[in-house]
Amino acid sequence: MMTNKLSPTKPDRGDATKEKLLSTSIDVFGRYGFDGASTRKLADAAGVNLQAIPYYFAGKEGLYIAAAEHLAAIIGGHVADLRAVILERLARLDGEGAAMSRVEARALLTQMVQRMVGLFVSRQSESWARFIIREQMEPTEAFARVYDNIMGPMIGMAARLVGTILGDDPASERVRLKTLSFVGSILVFRMAHAALLRQMHWDAVGPAELEMLQRHAASLVETLGTNAELQP
């Protein structure tokens, strides 16, 4: 009597090709910009046939937009669990008509920024930064995909916590500006990474250096809304 045996599922070649293009194009577009990243450069970097770009993405523009969405998904995946915890807590409080305490808001914001610091100083984030910086300078539809899918929601969530700490409306201009300034003080660890290493006399950011940066990020949260924040 013959028995049916299930064969191991083989990865779809098309999916693998698309994944290679998406992953490598973030770096290529970040290094050369949209105009400088030829389809030949993109295909060679991914190690795929040149025709794969029009076949899967209908051309370079389609790949560029898809790369932005892929980047947002990657970053989102790194913070998904913490984001879910914070959003669930906020939703529960809203449902109860209750307010979050400043102590809890500081604790959640500290977790958030320490996660961000760890992500921003990683080697993986180098290519992300190049892509995003170009889009910051000359925003296209790709920036809208990154902002709407991950940057905007994360900044909005941070504003909710900052507003609680400051005792102000998260939608107010004061809180929104304060939040952007605060997030910028964390982003600098990636956007000015070379200056960070030079200023701190570090060769690289290892476990000890990361711990110091995360302690510093926690101290920035502690000073929000206090007299220490106003001191020179």
Side-chain angles (χ1 to χ4, degrees):
M1 180 178 179
M2 296 180 62
T3 58
N4 293 325
K5 294 184 178 179
L6 294 175
S7 305
T9 302
K10 295 182 179 179
D12 184 87
R13 288 186 178 181
D15 289 343
T17 299
K18 289 172 67 176
E19 178 66 29
K20 287 179 182 178
L21 278 167
L22 288 171
S23 297
T24 58
S25 64
I26 292 171
D27 182 61
V28 176
F29 281 128
R31 288 180 183 277
Y32 303 104
F34 179 81
D35 293 332
S38 66
T39 52
R40 172 58 66 188
K41 280 181 182 176
L42 291 160
D44 287 350
V48 302
N49 188 286
L50 186 62
Q51 294 305 312
I53 295 175
Y55 181 79
Y56 290 110
F57 301 101
K60 189 169 76 168
E61 285 191 19
L63 175 57
Y64 189 63
I65 297 300
E69 293 175 341
H70 187 60
L71 174 56
I74 292 173
I75 297 173
H78 282 279
V79 298
D81 57 338
L82 181 57
R83 182 180 175 186
V85 168
I86 296 174
L87 290 177
E88 181 181 349
R89 178 60 177 152
L90 291 171
R92 184 182 304 170
L93 288 170
D94 288 344
E96 297 171 351
M100 179 179 288
S101 70
R102 285 187 170 90
V103 171
E104 183 177 11
R106 287 188 196 279
L108 290 174
L109 187 59
T110 297
Q111 291 181 56
M112 185 175 171
V113 297
Q114 288 184 329
R115 179 75 63 88
M116 290 167 62
V117 168
L119 190 58
F120 292 158
V121 300
S122 68
R123 291 293 299 272
Q124 185 182 13
S125 68
E126 289 181 13
S127 61
W128 307 347
R130 294 190 192 101
F131 189 101
I132 293 173
I133 287 173
R134 283 184 178 276
E135 281 296 317
Q136 290 278 2
M137 299 298 292
E138 296 182 41
T140 69
E141 185 183 347
F143 177 72
R145 303 300 177 92
V146 174
Y147 185 85
D148 292 344
N149 290 329
I150 186 65
M151 289 182 67
M154 290 297 290
I155 292 173
M157 189 167 66
R160 183 77 183 270
L161 299 174
V162 171
T164 298
I165 293 168
L166 299 181
D168 203 347
D169 180 3
S172 69
E173 289 186 341
R174 173 176 179 253
V175 171
R176 283 183 287 156
L177 282 172
K178 175 66 70 175
T179 302
L180 282 171
S181 177
F182 180 75
V183 170
S185 69
I186 305 300
L187 279 171
V188 71
F189 298 140
R190 167 45 60 199
M191 303 308 182
H193 194 72
L196 167 68
L197 297 180
R198 185 68 63 88
Q199 178 68 23
M200 298 303 297
H201 306 294
W202 294 342
D203 294 325
V205 176
E209 292 79 10
L210 175 58
E211 183 180 354
M212 182 180 295
L213 291 176
Q214 289 180 325
R215 286 201 307 268
H216 173 67
S219 72
L220 292 178
V221 176
E222 285 300 314
T223 61
L224 275 174
T226 66
N227 291 333
E229 183 185 32
L230 304 177
Q231 294 175 0

